[in-house]
Amino acid sequence: MRFEALSVFPEVFSPYLDASIMGRAQRSGVFSFEAYDLRDWTHDRHRTVDDAPFGGGQGMLMKPAPIFEALDELSLNGSSSPHVVFFSPCGQRFDQRVAERLATKERILFVCGRYEGIDERVYTLADDVLSIGDYVLTGGELAALVVMDAVVRLLPGALGDELSAVDESFSSEGLLEYAQYTRPASYRGMDVPEVLLSGDHAKVREWRRRNALERTALWRPDLLESARLTDEERLFAQDVLRSDGDDRHE
Ligand code: SAM
């Protein structure tokens, strides 16, 4: 997988992408990354990428020309044309399903907005416009890092243990992940559930499934609708929801 980013702050990516799992995945060839400075596609002495909005209003907007010209040129590089991703609080909400879809692409080019946003005509170049949540960031660079991190975890060879991404929240059955514990078995009066120490794998699996259901019902009941559940599990989740509602009203 190849990632590229077009940004007025191309230097912000490497401290994160060169560290830890992302750094190791890059070094072992799971993905490659290159950031381009949008100002390289300007033609004036000040390397201007922004201008005032027509109709008035606060702040400056990114001009269309540098972005169009950069994409014209970058699309011709390499063996495949890139899947072009823009960022905006108005975009499609980024989630695990979108990460899975993006993980099938060969080459992704992120265009990172700044200032008050981007001239609307530039979005005609987008294959995806993504939002990472209902809040406003100062730029698209953090959003690009969030998306890259979530996508890289799904690529073969990125995580040490190939199975580690399978059980995680939102992955296999659309539930949150179950609670996990490590040593010591007892800490400050809090004990690890007995069943996890039992060595009985079937019982452990059963406990984890119930725990995942319980946590999803309590914390993210909106996920239950599309989760893959048996009739019995759905009833159990409804019971958890009902008793949580009763607790709140007591
Ligand atoms: N004026 C825009 C609005 O209200 O929708 C916000 C522009 S924001 C200050 C500048 C850039 O940050 C955006 O073009 C986008 O690239 C990025 N950005 C801000 N919030 C984001 C979010 N929630 N998700 C993804 N990108 C975001």
Side-chain angles (χ1 to χ4, degrees):
M1 158 86 67
R2 176 166 174 78
F3 294 117
E4 289 157 66
L6 190 58
S7 162
V8 283
F9 296 105
E11 69 280 7
V12 303
F13 296 96
S14 58
Y16 188 80
L17 292 180
D18 292 346
S20 184
I21 290 178
M22 298 294 276
R24 198 183 58 212
Q26 247 189 114
R27 288 189 293 277
S28 60
V30 171
F31 78 99
S32 65
F33 175 76
E34 192 162 356
Y36 305 100
D37 188 342
L38 181 62
R39 294 186 196 282
D40 291 347
W41 284 273
T42 57
H43 305 289
D44 63 312
R45 206 157 50 90
H46 301 292
R47 292 161 52 89
T48 311
V49 292
D50 59 337
D51 207 336
F54 281 125
Q58 292 270 306
M60 301 292 271
L61 287 180
M62 294 179 92
K63 287 147 58 89
I67 298 177
F68 269 94
E69 289 179 31
L71 262 63
D72 282 348
E73 186 179 330
L74 294 173
S75 298
L76 297 176
N77 290 349
S79 53
S80 59
S81 59
H83 184 84
V84 178
V85 176
F86 280 71
F87 295 105
S88 164
C90 311
Q92 178 192 3
R93 179 73 72 85
F94 179 67
D95 63 13
Q96 194 68 14
R97 298 286 92 78
V98 178
E100 284 162 7
R101 177 167 62 76
L102 293 180
T104 65
K105 308 289 176 201
E106 232 176 88
R107 181 180 171 203
I108 299 178
L109 173 56
F110 299 107
V111 183
C112 304
R114 280 268 157 183
Y115 317 114
E116 275 313 303
I118 308 181
D119 182 291
E120 192 66 24
R121 290 165 290 189
V122 174
Y123 292 110
T124 56
L125 299 168
D127 293 308
D128 274 305
V129 182
L130 299 179
S131 162
I132 62 163
D134 288 346
Y135 39 78
V136 181
L137 302 166
T138 54
E141 290 78 7
L142 267 179
L145 283 169
V146 166
V147 171
M148 280 189 272
D149 189 297
V151 170
V152 166
R153 295 176 61 77
L154 299 173
L155 300 178
L159 303 178
D161 170 0
E162 287 296 320
L163 287 178
S164 3
V166 171
D167 255 1
E168 284 179 325
S169 299
F170 316 111
S171 284
S172 58
E173 307 281 318
L175 297 175
L176 298 181
E177 192 184 50
Y178 44 80
Q180 304 216 70
Y181 302 87
T182 183
R183 272 182 283 269
S186 184
Y187 184 69
R188 296 197 179 197
M190 294 177 280
D191 294 334
V192 172
E194 199 63 42
V195 59
L196 299 181
L197 313 174
S198 69
D200 183 334
H201 297 302
K203 284 226 161 67
V204 169
R205 254 198 316 277
E206 197 182 315
W207 182 90
R208 285 180 168 168
R209 179 75 182 171
R210 266 179 102 78
N211 185 262
L213 263 168
E214 216 163 358
R215 284 151 67 99
T216 310
L218 288 174
W219 297 340
R220 291 292 306 276
D222 57 301
L223 295 176
L224 289 174
E225 208 165 300
S226 54
R228 283 186 291 281
L229 306 180
T230 63
D231 291 346
E232 195 188 329
E233 287 175 334
R234 205 160 280 287
L235 284 174
F236 172 71
Q238 279 159 4
D239 271 355
V240 173
L241 265 174
R242 231 187 334 266
S243 50
D244 183 49
D246 292 346
D247 287 351
R248 281 171 210 244
H249 290 113
E250 268 169 19

